[in-house]
Every structure is written in C-alpha cells, then in structure tokens.
Amino acid sequence: MANKADLIVGVQWGDEGKGKIVDLLAQEYDYVARYQGGHNAGHTIVIDGKKYVLHLIPSGVLNPKAVNIIGNGVVICPDEFIKEAAQFGDLRGRLYISKNAHLILDYHIALDQAAEAGLGDKKIGTTGRGIGPAYADKIARVGARLGDLYDQARLVDTILERYDRLGLNAPPKAEVASSVARWADRLLVFAADTTQMLWQALDDGKRTLLEGAQGTLLDIDHGAYPFVTSSNTIAGGACTGAGLAPKEIGKVIGIVKAYCTRVGNGPFATEQTNAIGDRLREKGEEFGASTGRARRCGWFDAPLAKFACRINGADELALMKLDVLDGFEEIKVCVDYDDGKPIYKSFKGWERVSKARSFDDLPKAAQSYAAAIEELTGVKITLISTGADRNDAIYR
Ligand code: IMP
C-alpha cells in the first residue's frame, strides 16, 4: 500500500493542545509539516518542566531527528520567524520553507489592526498578526512570496508600490531594502520546493505528519464566518497547503479538549461566563499562547465536535486536558440544541486523573466521560492527556 501522511487537526476553536500531541508524535515521525496559518498559532510544549512556545516552526523541531517543513499554505512573518528560530540554534538541514509561502509584511499587520479598530464592538478579535491581509493579498495575486527574496531590488519596489496603492505612508526605501536584505540572508537558506520534498519523503517510505494550526471551527469556509481565521484549517487544507493529493493523507487524528475554549469573538453556545468558566480558565491556564488574551471557556459541545470529526474524516481522537476537570462535582456536555440553546447532559465528576497511567487507572467517572465523548462523536479516543508534561499521557 502506498505510504501516506498522517494528519493532526484541532476539532474545536484551536488551543486544543495540538503542540503537545505533535511533540509526542514527532518522536515517531521523520517529517513534520505545517500547511496553513502563520504565527497566529501558539503551540506550547513542556518537556521536563521547560516550556517552549512555537508559533510558526513545526513542533517536530524538538525532535532532533525530524525534518520540519513549512508548506506553501503558511504565511510567514520574516522577523518573527528569525526570532523564533533563534531558540533552536542552527536549523539548516532540519527545516525547509516553501518558496511559494507568502510573506506577512508590516503593512499587513497595520491593516489587520486598523480593520479591527474600525469594527469596534463587531471586531473579530484577530491576533493582530496580519494573517487576514496577507492571505487577502495572496488571493488577490499581489502578495510577496519567500522566493521573491531572490530578487531583492524587485521585491523592495513591489513593497513600496503596495504602500502607495494602499495609500499608506511607506518607510524610507533604505529601511525596506535593509529589511529585505536581512530576510533574504536569514530565510533563503531554508527555501525549498517543499511539495517535491514531501512527495520524495512519502515515496521513500518516510513517516510524515501534517500539523494543522488553529482549529476546525475557525476554518475560513466552514467556521462561523466572519469569526474565523483566513485559512482552511480542516484536514483538506493540507492538500492545498502542502501539495499532497487527498489520497496521500492517511490517518487523521482529531485533537479535542475535554471542554471548550475560544479566543476572540463569535458564537460559543456552551460558554460559561460565570464561576465555572473562571475555574476552567484558571485550572486550564487558558490564556493565549500567542497574545496572552484570556480565553472564553465553557462545556464540551458534542454536536460541533461531531461536525468537526466528519469534515476532517477523523479516524481517532486525542482527548486533551482531562485533568482540568478534576474536582468538578458535575460536568456538563452539550448533546443537542433546542432553538440554538444547548441541551446539556450531566456527568458525575471525579477527584483526580493526573496520576493515572492507563485507561483502567482512571476514575470510573472519567472513563464514563471519555466513553460518552466517543459515543457522541462516533470516533474512538486513542490518547488521553492528563497533564501538561510530555509524560502525562495515556495510550489506548
Ligand atoms: P487571525 O487568525 O489572527 O486573523 O484571527 C482570527 C480568529 O482566529 C480570532 O478569533 C483569533 O482569536 C483566532 N485564532 C487565530 N489563531 C488562533 C490560534 O492559534 N488558536 C486559537 N485561536 C486562534
């Protein structure tokens, strides 16, 4: 059978704990590739008590043996990339960036922030990182790509022209030229035809993992528009964002948090703007890894999770942050809606899951909760995370 790439994707609004899973799985994969989004993502990984926050670089970077790929569907802010890469020493030979990936330029960030400010209380609550405007330029065919750094003089002119067209005050030409020179110097060493690389990897039988960023419910087409991000976050996004055919995607692992969180505005039916929400936020440390914003918190929404499992073709689920529900007397799950209002089913709480090392070790009530999620989504849970550390994980 032909070798296929596996894929992980968040089934809620992002922040499900994908970073930890990719880090765990990256130990087994030869290639780890990002296919969409940019540094709006924030993956936190804790190894032996040390915390790493990754925004753009695939989480496989913490496995010295994995090759990391930033695919054509990703948008790259050059200076943020340079900063992030500096944490890891020399990445040459371990990281490749698609020449076709678009760059996030300063005016994208300015436009993002200005658009949000202009929307007042209707704002989306973006990360302010220029993601939407960079993708808008890509679609409008006026964007700049990593490969454009090979002709610095031309890129400088293109950038200045864009400022002009947009009616924005451009920085002095020398400043733009110096930025472009720095980016060319620091980024082109990673430039590659990453689609060909991934094909070769698959042909050579290499184990390849596609790492989705954000979450299904933030998908530009399938989320609650306009309260979405500007890329296709679903599994299908990997085909366009990495250059793989649909049939080259093998196992799809959905990452699901034991409750729900959302950063930014938009519908969130099971949100708890009360002591329950506060408790989830405190215990779950639900503050954005990218922006530090407090996340909105609420109960697990099964119909949405089921939708996400279907649209991604999830073969299995990883249930994250089950320990955050420790100590709740009652845990609720939205099982359906009545006129847009959630219908909840109540579950008995448990004292503590953090010490469990096998599914049978888990308190009975926690086992029932996990079983209910499986039943409601129709997808088997194969991994349960019971703490932030790499080792706090139960496999089934
Ligand atoms: P943007 O991606 O910065 O344009 O933001 C659009 C929406 O997606 C906002 O609600 C953000 O809070 C949300 N968002 C973007 N990236 C992430 C992420 O990595 N995790 C969770 N939410 C995100």
Side-chain angles (χ1 to χ4, degrees), residues 13-16 18 38-43 112 116 124-133 213-215 218 226-231 262-266 290-291 293 295:
W13 285 283
D15 309 314
E16 298 92 351
K18 293 182 295 294
H39 68 305
N40 49 347
H43 290 177
D112 188 0
E116 284 285 278
I124 294 162
T126 71
T127 58
R129 305 277 158 94
I131 305 295
Q214 289 83 51
L218 289 170
F227 299 103
V228 291
T229 189
S230 297
S231 63
R262 173 164 203 168
V263 206
N265 295 329
S290 265
T291 58
R293 288 183 291 175
R295 296 179 184 141

Short mmCIF file of all heavy atoms in Angstrom, two decimals, residues 13-16 18 38-43 112 116 124-133 213-215 218 226-231 262-266 290-291 293 295, ligand 1:
data_model
loop_
_atom_site.label_atom_id
_atom_site.label_comp_id
_atom_site.label_asym_id
_atom_site.label_seq_id
_atom_site.Cartn_x
_atom_site.Cartn_y
_atom_site.Cartn_z
N TRP A 13 -11.93 25.29 18.55
CA TRP A 13 -11.52 26.62 18.06
C TRP A 13 -10.02 26.84 18.24
O TRP A 13 -9.58 27.96 18.47
CB TRP A 13 -12.28 27.69 18.84
CG TRP A 13 -13.71 27.85 18.44
CD1 TRP A 13 -14.19 28.48 17.33
CD2 TRP A 13 -14.87 27.39 19.15
NE1 TRP A 13 -15.56 28.43 17.31
CE2 TRP A 13 -16.01 27.78 18.42
CE3 TRP A 13 -15.05 26.68 20.35
CZ2 TRP A 13 -17.30 27.48 18.83
CZ3 TRP A 13 -16.33 26.40 20.75
CH2 TRP A 13 -17.45 26.79 19.99
N GLY A 14 -9.25 25.78 18.15
CA GLY A 14 -7.82 25.92 18.39
C GLY A 14 -7.52 25.77 19.87
O GLY A 14 -8.44 25.62 20.69
N ASP A 15 -6.24 25.75 20.19
CA ASP A 15 -5.80 25.64 21.58
C ASP A 15 -6.25 24.34 22.23
O ASP A 15 -6.46 24.29 23.44
CB ASP A 15 -6.29 26.84 22.43
CG ASP A 15 -5.96 28.16 21.77
OD1 ASP A 15 -4.81 28.31 21.33
OD2 ASP A 15 -6.84 29.02 21.69
N GLU A 16 -6.38 23.30 21.45
CA GLU A 16 -6.81 22.01 22.00
C GLU A 16 -5.64 21.26 22.62
O GLU A 16 -5.84 20.26 23.32
CB GLU A 16 -7.43 21.12 20.91
CG GLU A 16 -8.69 21.66 20.27
CD GLU A 16 -8.38 22.46 19.01
OE1 GLU A 16 -7.19 22.74 18.76
OE2 GLU A 16 -9.33 22.83 18.29
N LYS A 18 -2.65 20.79 20.55
CA LYS A 18 -2.04 20.10 19.41
C LYS A 18 -0.52 20.04 19.53
O LYS A 18 0.09 19.06 19.15
CB LYS A 18 -2.39 20.81 18.10
CG LYS A 18 -3.85 20.72 17.74
CD LYS A 18 -4.16 21.39 16.43
CE LYS A 18 -3.94 22.88 16.47
NZ LYS A 18 -4.86 23.62 17.36
N GLY A 38 -0.25 31.02 10.36
CA GLY A 38 1.05 31.67 10.48
C GLY A 38 1.42 31.73 11.94
O GLY A 38 1.15 30.78 12.68
N HIS A 39 1.95 32.90 12.35
CA HIS A 39 2.35 32.98 13.76
C HIS A 39 1.18 33.44 14.65
O HIS A 39 1.39 33.83 15.79
CB HIS A 39 3.60 33.83 13.93
CG HIS A 39 3.43 35.29 13.63
ND1 HIS A 39 2.93 35.74 12.42
CD2 HIS A 39 3.68 36.39 14.36
CE1 HIS A 39 2.89 37.06 12.45
NE2 HIS A 39 3.34 37.48 13.62
N ASN A 40 -0.04 33.37 14.09
CA ASN A 40 -1.24 33.48 14.95
C ASN A 40 -1.35 32.25 15.83
O ASN A 40 -1.97 32.28 16.89
CB ASN A 40 -2.52 33.66 14.11
CG ASN A 40 -2.66 32.67 12.96
OD1 ASN A 40 -1.71 31.98 12.61
ND2 ASN A 40 -3.83 32.61 12.38
N ALA A 41 -0.76 31.14 15.40
CA ALA A 41 -0.76 29.92 16.19
C ALA A 41 0.19 30.06 17.36
O ALA A 41 1.15 30.82 17.31
CB ALA A 41 -0.32 28.75 15.32
N GLY A 42 -0.10 29.34 18.41
CA GLY A 42 0.82 29.31 19.54
C GLY A 42 0.75 27.92 20.13
O GLY A 42 -0.24 27.55 20.73
N HIS A 43 1.77 27.14 19.90
CA HIS A 43 1.79 25.78 20.43
C HIS A 43 2.73 25.76 21.62
O HIS A 43 3.90 26.08 21.48
CB HIS A 43 2.27 24.80 19.37
CG HIS A 43 1.29 24.60 18.25
ND1 HIS A 43 1.54 23.82 17.16
CD2 HIS A 43 0.05 25.07 18.10
CE1 HIS A 43 0.48 23.83 16.37
NE2 HIS A 43 -0.43 24.60 16.91
N ASP A 112 -4.45 44.82 9.44
CA ASP A 112 -5.20 43.93 10.34
C ASP A 112 -5.66 44.73 11.57
O ASP A 112 -6.83 44.73 11.94
CB ASP A 112 -4.27 42.77 10.75
CG ASP A 112 -5.00 41.66 11.52
OD1 ASP A 112 -6.21 41.77 11.75
OD2 ASP A 112 -4.33 40.66 11.89
N GLU A 116 -9.56 45.94 12.58
CA GLU A 116 -10.17 45.55 13.85
C GLU A 116 -10.62 46.79 14.63
O GLU A 116 -11.73 46.81 15.17
CB GLU A 116 -9.18 44.74 14.68
CG GLU A 116 -9.01 43.32 14.19
CD GLU A 116 -10.19 42.43 14.55
OE1 GLU A 116 -10.24 41.92 15.68
OE2 GLU A 116 -11.09 42.28 13.70
N ILE A 124 -13.54 41.03 15.07
CA ILE A 124 -13.39 39.57 15.06
C ILE A 124 -12.58 39.12 16.27
O ILE A 124 -12.79 38.04 16.81
CB ILE A 124 -12.71 39.14 13.74
CG1 ILE A 124 -13.66 39.44 12.57
CG2 ILE A 124 -12.30 37.68 13.76
CD1 ILE A 124 -12.98 39.47 11.22
N GLY A 125 -11.68 40.02 16.70
CA GLY A 125 -10.77 39.61 17.77
C GLY A 125 -9.60 38.83 17.20
O GLY A 125 -9.21 37.80 17.74
N THR A 126 -9.06 39.32 16.09
CA THR A 126 -7.92 38.62 15.48
C THR A 126 -6.70 38.73 16.39
O THR A 126 -6.71 39.49 17.36
CB THR A 126 -7.52 39.22 14.10
OG1 THR A 126 -6.93 40.51 14.32
CG2 THR A 126 -8.73 39.37 13.18
N THR A 127 -5.68 38.00 16.03
CA THR A 127 -4.44 38.08 16.81
C THR A 127 -3.65 39.33 16.43
O THR A 127 -2.60 39.60 17.03
CB THR A 127 -3.57 36.83 16.55
OG1 THR A 127 -3.30 36.75 15.15
CG2 THR A 127 -4.28 35.57 17.01
N GLY A 128 -4.12 40.07 15.44
CA GLY A 128 -3.42 41.30 15.04
C GLY A 128 -2.09 41.05 14.38
O GLY A 128 -1.21 41.91 14.34
N ARG A 129 -1.91 39.85 13.84
CA ARG A 129 -0.60 39.48 13.28
C ARG A 129 -0.54 39.64 11.76
O ARG A 129 0.41 39.17 11.13
CB ARG A 129 -0.28 38.02 13.64
CG ARG A 129 -0.33 37.72 15.13
CD ARG A 129 0.98 38.12 15.77
NE ARG A 129 0.85 38.36 17.19
CZ ARG A 129 1.07 37.46 18.15
NH1 ARG A 129 1.43 36.26 17.83
NH2 ARG A 129 0.94 37.79 19.41
N GLY A 130 -1.59 40.19 11.18
CA GLY A 130 -1.54 40.42 9.72
C GLY A 130 -1.95 39.22 8.90
O GLY A 130 -1.76 39.20 7.67
N ILE A 131 -2.53 38.23 9.54
CA ILE A 131 -2.87 36.97 8.85
C ILE A 131 -3.88 37.23 7.71
O ILE A 131 -3.64 36.84 6.57
CB ILE A 131 -3.45 35.94 9.86
CG1 ILE A 131 -2.49 35.72 11.03
CG2 ILE A 131 -3.84 34.64 9.15
CD1 ILE A 131 -1.18 35.10 10.71
N GLY A 132 -5.02 37.85 8.05
CA GLY A 132 -6.08 38.07 7.06
C GLY A 132 -5.57 38.88 5.86
O GLY A 132 -5.71 38.44 4.71
N PRO A 133 -4.97 40.05 6.09
CA PRO A 133 -4.47 40.83 4.95
C PRO A 133 -3.41 40.11 4.11
O PRO A 133 -3.36 40.28 2.89
CB PRO A 133 -3.91 42.10 5.62
CG PRO A 133 -4.73 42.24 6.87
CD PRO A 133 -4.96 40.83 7.33
N ALA A 213 -2.92 23.95 12.25
CA ALA A 213 -2.90 25.01 13.26
C ALA A 213 -4.32 25.57 13.42
O ALA A 213 -5.18 25.32 12.57
CB ALA A 213 -1.93 26.11 12.85
N GLN A 214 -4.53 26.33 14.50
CA GLN A 214 -5.88 26.80 14.85
C GLN A 214 -6.81 25.58 14.98
O GLN A 214 -6.35 24.53 15.39
CB GLN A 214 -6.44 27.81 13.85
CG GLN A 214 -5.76 29.17 13.88
CD GLN A 214 -4.49 29.21 13.07
OE1 GLN A 214 -4.46 28.83 11.92
NE2 GLN A 214 -3.41 29.69 13.66
N GLY A 215 -8.07 25.71 14.60
CA GLY A 215 -8.97 24.56 14.76
C GLY A 215 -10.05 24.59 13.71
O GLY A 215 -10.27 25.61 13.03
N LEU A 218 -12.57 27.38 13.19
CA LEU A 218 -12.05 28.68 12.73
C LEU A 218 -11.79 28.65 11.22
O LEU A 218 -11.23 29.60 10.66
CB LEU A 218 -10.77 29.05 13.48
CG LEU A 218 -10.93 29.42 14.95
CD1 LEU A 218 -9.56 29.52 15.63
CD2 LEU A 218 -11.67 30.75 15.10
N PRO A 226 -18.09 35.80 9.93
CA PRO A 226 -16.68 36.15 9.73
C PRO A 226 -15.79 35.89 10.94
O PRO A 226 -14.65 36.33 10.95
CB PRO A 226 -16.77 37.66 9.46
CG PRO A 226 -17.88 38.12 10.37
CD PRO A 226 -18.87 36.97 10.41
N PHE A 227 -16.30 35.17 11.94
CA PHE A 227 -15.49 34.96 13.15
C PHE A 227 -14.59 33.74 12.97
O PHE A 227 -14.73 32.74 13.67
CB PHE A 227 -16.40 34.85 14.37
CG PHE A 227 -17.20 36.10 14.59
CD1 PHE A 227 -18.54 36.16 14.25
CD2 PHE A 227 -16.60 37.25 15.09
CE1 PHE A 227 -19.27 37.33 14.42
CE2 PHE A 227 -17.31 38.42 15.26
CZ PHE A 227 -18.65 38.47 14.92
N VAL A 228 -13.73 33.84 12.02
CA VAL A 228 -12.88 32.72 11.61
C VAL A 228 -11.48 33.26 11.32
O VAL A 228 -11.27 34.48 11.31
CB VAL A 228 -13.46 32.06 10.33
CG1 VAL A 228 -14.76 31.35 10.63
CG2 VAL A 228 -13.68 33.10 9.22
N THR A 229 -10.57 32.36 11.06
CA THR A 229 -9.26 32.80 10.59
C THR A 229 -9.29 32.76 9.05
O THR A 229 -10.33 32.43 8.46
CB THR A 229 -8.12 31.97 11.20
OG1 THR A 229 -6.87 32.59 10.87
CG2 THR A 229 -8.12 30.53 10.71
N SER A 230 -8.21 33.10 8.39
CA SER A 230 -8.26 33.29 6.94
C SER A 230 -7.71 32.12 6.15
O SER A 230 -7.37 32.27 4.98
CB SER A 230 -7.54 34.58 6.57
OG SER A 230 -8.23 35.66 7.16
N SER A 231 -7.62 30.96 6.78
CA SER A 231 -7.12 29.80 6.04
C SER A 231 -8.04 28.61 6.23
O SER A 231 -8.93 28.63 7.09
CB SER A 231 -5.70 29.43 6.51
OG SER A 231 -5.72 29.05 7.88
N ARG A 262 -12.41 29.40 23.48
CA ARG A 262 -12.37 30.18 22.25
C ARG A 262 -11.69 31.51 22.57
O ARG A 262 -11.98 32.11 23.61
CB ARG A 262 -13.81 30.39 21.77
CG ARG A 262 -13.92 31.31 20.61
CD ARG A 262 -15.22 31.28 19.87
NE ARG A 262 -14.86 31.79 18.55
CZ ARG A 262 -15.59 31.75 17.47
NH1 ARG A 262 -16.78 31.24 17.51
NH2 ARG A 262 -15.15 32.24 16.34
N VAL A 263 -10.80 31.95 21.68
CA VAL A 263 -10.20 33.28 21.83
C VAL A 263 -10.82 34.15 20.74
O VAL A 263 -10.99 33.70 19.63
CB VAL A 263 -8.68 33.31 21.58
CG1 VAL A 263 -8.03 34.46 22.32
CG2 VAL A 263 -8.03 32.01 21.93
N GLY A 264 -11.11 35.38 21.07
CA GLY A 264 -11.70 36.24 20.06
C GLY A 264 -13.22 36.12 20.09
O GLY A 264 -13.78 35.34 20.88
N ASN A 265 -13.87 36.87 19.21
CA ASN A 265 -15.33 36.93 19.25
C ASN A 265 -15.96 35.84 18.40
O ASN A 265 -15.28 35.08 17.75
CB ASN A 265 -15.79 38.31 18.79
CG ASN A 265 -15.32 39.37 19.78
OD1 ASN A 265 -15.21 39.09 20.97
ND2 ASN A 265 -15.02 40.56 19.28
N GLY A 266 -17.31 35.82 18.42
CA GLY A 266 -18.03 34.83 17.63
C GLY A 266 -18.83 33.89 18.51
O GLY A 266 -18.62 33.83 19.72
N SER A 290 -0.20 32.99 22.12
CA SER A 290 0.32 33.99 21.19
C SER A 290 0.13 35.40 21.71
O SER A 290 1.01 36.24 21.60
CB SER A 290 -0.40 33.88 19.85
OG SER A 290 0.34 33.08 18.98
N THR A 291 -1.05 35.67 22.24
CA THR A 291 -1.38 37.06 22.56
C THR A 291 -1.57 37.29 24.05
O THR A 291 -1.73 38.43 24.47
CB THR A 291 -2.70 37.45 21.87
OG1 THR A 291 -3.72 36.55 22.30
CG2 THR A 291 -2.58 37.38 20.35
N ARG A 293 -4.15 36.73 25.65
CA ARG A 293 -5.55 37.05 25.95
C ARG A 293 -6.22 35.93 26.73
O ARG A 293 -5.95 34.75 26.48
CB ARG A 293 -6.34 37.23 24.64
CG ARG A 293 -6.00 38.49 23.90
CD ARG A 293 -6.86 38.64 22.65
NE ARG A 293 -6.53 37.64 21.64
CZ ARG A 293 -7.20 37.49 20.51
NH1 ARG A 293 -8.25 38.24 20.26
NH2 ARG A 293 -6.84 36.58 19.63
N ARG A 295 -8.85 33.28 27.47
CA ARG A 295 -9.74 32.54 26.57
C ARG A 295 -11.13 32.43 27.19
O ARG A 295 -11.26 32.31 28.40
CB ARG A 295 -9.19 31.14 26.32
CG ARG A 295 -7.87 31.16 25.59
CD ARG A 295 -7.32 29.75 25.35
NE ARG A 295 -6.01 29.82 24.73
CZ ARG A 295 -4.98 29.03 25.03
NH1 ARG A 295 -5.11 28.08 25.93
NH2 ARG A 295 -3.82 29.17 24.42
P1 IMP B 1 -6.47 35.75 12.95
O1 IMP B 1 -6.12 34.33 12.61
O2 IMP B 1 -5.39 36.46 13.69
O3 IMP B 1 -6.97 36.52 11.79
O4 IMP B 1 -7.70 35.68 13.97
C1 IMP B 1 -8.99 35.23 13.59
C2 IMP B 1 -9.64 34.43 14.72
O5 IMP B 1 -8.93 33.22 14.91
C3 IMP B 1 -9.63 35.12 16.08
O6 IMP B 1 -10.80 34.73 16.79
C4 IMP B 1 -8.41 34.55 16.76
O7 IMP B 1 -8.50 34.61 18.16
C5 IMP B 1 -8.48 33.13 16.27
N1 IMP B 1 -7.18 32.45 16.24
C6 IMP B 1 -6.18 32.65 15.36
N2 IMP B 1 -5.17 31.82 15.62
C7 IMP B 1 -5.53 31.07 16.68
C8 IMP B 1 -4.90 30.01 17.38
O8 IMP B 1 -3.80 29.55 17.07
N3 IMP B 1 -5.62 29.49 18.43
C9 IMP B 1 -6.84 29.93 18.75
N4 IMP B 1 -7.47 30.91 18.12
C10 IMP B 1 -6.82 31.48 17.07
#
